[in-house]
Amino acid sequence: MPSADLVIRGGTIVTPSALVRMALTVKDGKVAAITSDENVPSAERVIDAEGFHVLPGIIDSHVHFRDPGLTYKEDFASGSAAAAAGGVTCIFDMPNNAPPTRDAATLRAKIEVASSKAVVDYGLFGLLSVGSLSDVEALSSSGVIGFKCYMGETTGKIPPPSDGEMLEQFSEVARSGLAVAVHAENDSIVRYLTQKLRAEGHVYPRAHYESRPQIVEEEAVGRAILYAKDTSCPLHIAHLSSAGGAELVRRAKTDRLPVTAETAPHYLILDESMYADLGSLMKINPSVKSRSDRAALWDAISDGTVDMIASDHSPHTLAEKTSQDIFEAASGFPGLETSVPLMLTQVNRGRLSLQRYVQLASANPARAWRIYPKKGCIEVGSDADITIVDLSARSRIESKRFHSKAKWSPFDGFEVEGLPAYTISRGKVVMDHGVVDTLRHGEMVVPGARRRVTTHSA
Ligand SMILES: [Zn+2]
């Protein structure tokens, strides 16, 4: 009888600090040993990872599965299958559902949905919105991974809290020991500019970018950082898109404030000149910005200002996504099945190292959201969440083959170099060369003991 459940041999293990030719032994869902290839025990399954890189499971800390409420766009089954297909072993789902995940009852309902459908592990965000103050404690004690505050308009039309209310909520979250992720856009400026552009008949795709100039993000990032400083509330800037926003995060880190930031592949690869070709398909909030913003975000990746990469997977139907009036088109696009290949392509092009990618996509999100070292690393005793990648595989993004219900993408047809070959969730292979095991059940991850956030920088 084999003594281990799974052995992965022949590959190169990538950690934030090293690349090592070692074999992994997995038992009962955990990493049981890290040894030389010769010293592995017999196992029920052996993966020959010769020529592949073995990464700690990729964590996508920002997705929208639309379940409950808007399951025609996506549900936990299709969304988590997309995660497995994309090489992602753990996702954090945002709370802008119908109804929003805003109190103990709606969180319970979401847990019921997720636990019956998820293929990979998941964390769940609780909502901070108008009237949320009294629900913070119940949500944090029920296991939310953190809180999400929409400072601007979003799918689900959740009204942003007033500045006073937001400040009070930050204080309450600080007491819970969790962190607040903000969608940092100034609602008032966006509304004003949108109305003006529409009145002038400017409803072409690029008008979306014109309605959200850099100051829209920069002002909100600055305000959120001031509130975090005042309340000592750990703050996370979701989907950073601008040079000005990045600079404010950089200064906050210099000032040793508890601030982390995430950006997404689309802000690192697309820019506003591409509205001409991609049209409404590339509409997302915050908007994709200029080439110089894109360059500034790469600098922020290099110097440690940006801590993590998340996809902001935001599925819609193609009909909702396409309109002659850009302001009528839905915001967001699916990202779970393109994020890892797009970023591995950037690794192959020399924009970042594979080790830096592991920091950004696994170790840092696990640390910031307090699930490290259960996840986010390959160590004896950690969950056996592993993403095995083939850096030499060349392909083209084919959105019609997505597992997501949204079978379209602004990246459709993009050439990629580097693909996930296996996705392994707590020792079970949930994706093998594109084939997903949808029978697998993911589990909810909850934040561990309170710890000071120290993420790996470049
Ligand atoms: Zn989002």
Side-chain angles (χ1 to χ4, degrees), residues 282-350:
M282 69 178 267
K283 181 183 177 187
I284 194 160
N285 297 329
S287 58
V288 165
K289 296 199 169 49
S290 70
R291 283 181 194 180
S292 61
D293 289 290
R294 185 173 68 182
L297 290 170
W298 276 111
D299 289 343
I301 293 256
S302 300
D303 73 5
T305 299
V306 163
D307 301 278
M308 50 190 109
I309 303 272
S311 73
D312 195 4
H313 177 83
S314 331
H316 299 282
T317 66
L318 191 55
E320 291 170 321
K321 192 64 191 170
T322 34
S323 168
Q324 286 304 100
D325 177 345
I326 189 64
F327 297 106
E328 292 292 329
S331 285
F333 41 79
L336 272 165
E337 287 163 273
T338 53
S339 184
V340 172
L342 288 170
M343 291 311 297
L344 293 179
T345 304
Q346 300 301 312
V347 169
N348 271 316
R349 291 183 184 162

Side-chain angles (χ1 to χ4, degrees), residues 371-388:
I371 57 171
Y372 189 94
K374 178 178 162 63
K375 301 199 183 288
C377 62
I378 297 177
E379 278 171 26
V380 172
S382 292
D383 283 357
D385 287 3
I386 310 286
T387 303
I388 302 180

Side-chain angles (χ1 to χ4, degrees), residues 12-319:
T12 302
I13 297 177
V14 185
T15 73
S17 55
L19 279 127
V20 285
R21 273 289 301 245
M22 296 288 257
L24 277 183
T25 299
V26 174
K27 199 169 167 57
D28 300 329
K30 304 268 185 199
V31 176
I34 303 168
T35 61
S36 64
D37 280 350
E38 296 77 56
N39 290 331
V40 294
S42 61
E44 224 154 275
R45 179 162 184 187
V46 176
I47 291 178
D48 177 9
E50 186 71 44
F52 293 169
H53 288 85
V54 180
L55 278 44
I58 301 299
I59 298 168
D60 193 332
S61 55
H62 189 152
V63 308
H64 300 266
F65 283 174
R66 316 295 192 199
D67 195 356
L70 300 169
T71 50
Y72 69 94
K73 294 176 193 268
E74 192 78 292
D75 65 19
F76 247 89
S78 57
S80 62
V88 173
T89 57
C90 183
I91 60 91
F92 298 165
D93 190 50
M94 288 296 167
N96 56 328
N97 297 112
T101 315
R102 59 171 304 148
D103 54 26
T106 47
L107 178 65
R108 262 199 308 278
K110 177 98 156 247
I111 291 171
E112 213 156 286
V113 160
S115 63
S116 65
K117 299 183 186 174
V119 179
V120 299
D121 290 353
Y122 50 89
L124 302 176
F125 275 96
L127 181 72
L128 282 189
S129 181
V130 176
S132 287
L133 189 66
S134 57
D135 295 305
V136 168
E137 206 190 314
L139 282 169
S140 52
S141 62
S142 306
V144 292
I145 199 80
F147 290 88
K148 177 74 182 282
C149 175
Y150 293 92
M151 297 171 77
E153 174 225 345
T154 187
T155 299
K157 305 250 177 292
I158 290 163
S162 71
D163 290 345
E165 198 172 4
M166 194 171 134
L167 193 58
E168 201 172 24
Q169 291 172 351
F170 274 32
S171 289
E172 185 69 8
V173 174
R175 272 190 285 276
S176 78
L178 296 176
V180 176
V182 290
H183 178 127
E185 289 195 294
N186 180 304
D187 196 45
S188 166
I189 299 175
V190 171
R191 280 176 193 279
Y192 178 80
L193 291 178
T194 302
Q195 203 171 33
K196 193 172 166 192
L197 285 159
R198 293 188 96 168
E200 291 163 353
H202 298 323
V203 294
Y204 44 82
R206 192 175 176 280
H208 178 246
Y209 164 71
E210 292 165 17
S211 73
R212 291 162 191 266
Q214 155 164 298
I215 186 65
V216 162
E217 175 169 278
E218 193 177 6
E219 188 280 338
V221 168
R223 184 156 36 107
I225 289 173
L226 284 173
Y227 293 3
K229 182 181 175 189
D230 189 64
T231 58
S232 303
C233 178
L235 174 69
H236 176 71
I237 309 293
H239 42 48
L240 194 63
S241 69
S242 68
E247 183 52 30
L248 290 174
V249 171
R250 185 174 291 119
R251 273 189 242 159
K253 291 190 164 198
T254 307
D255 294 344
R256 303 200 163 278
L257 296 175
V259 176
T260 55
E262 135 211 328
T263 192
H266 39 275
Y267 302 118
L268 296 169
I269 293 167
L270 306 179
D271 67 67
E272 52 85 14
S273 71
M274 299 174 183
Y275 277 104
D277 286 336
L278 301 175
S280 61
L281 286 191
M282 69 178 267
K283 181 183 177 187
I284 194 160
N285 297 329
S287 58
V288 165
K289 296 199 169 49
S290 70
R291 283 181 194 180
S292 61
D293 289 290
R294 185 173 68 182
L297 290 170
W298 276 111
D299 289 343
I301 293 256
S302 300
D303 73 5
T305 299
V306 163
D307 301 278
M308 50 190 109
I309 303 272
S311 73
D312 195 4
H313 177 83
S314 331
H316 299 282
T317 66
L318 191 55

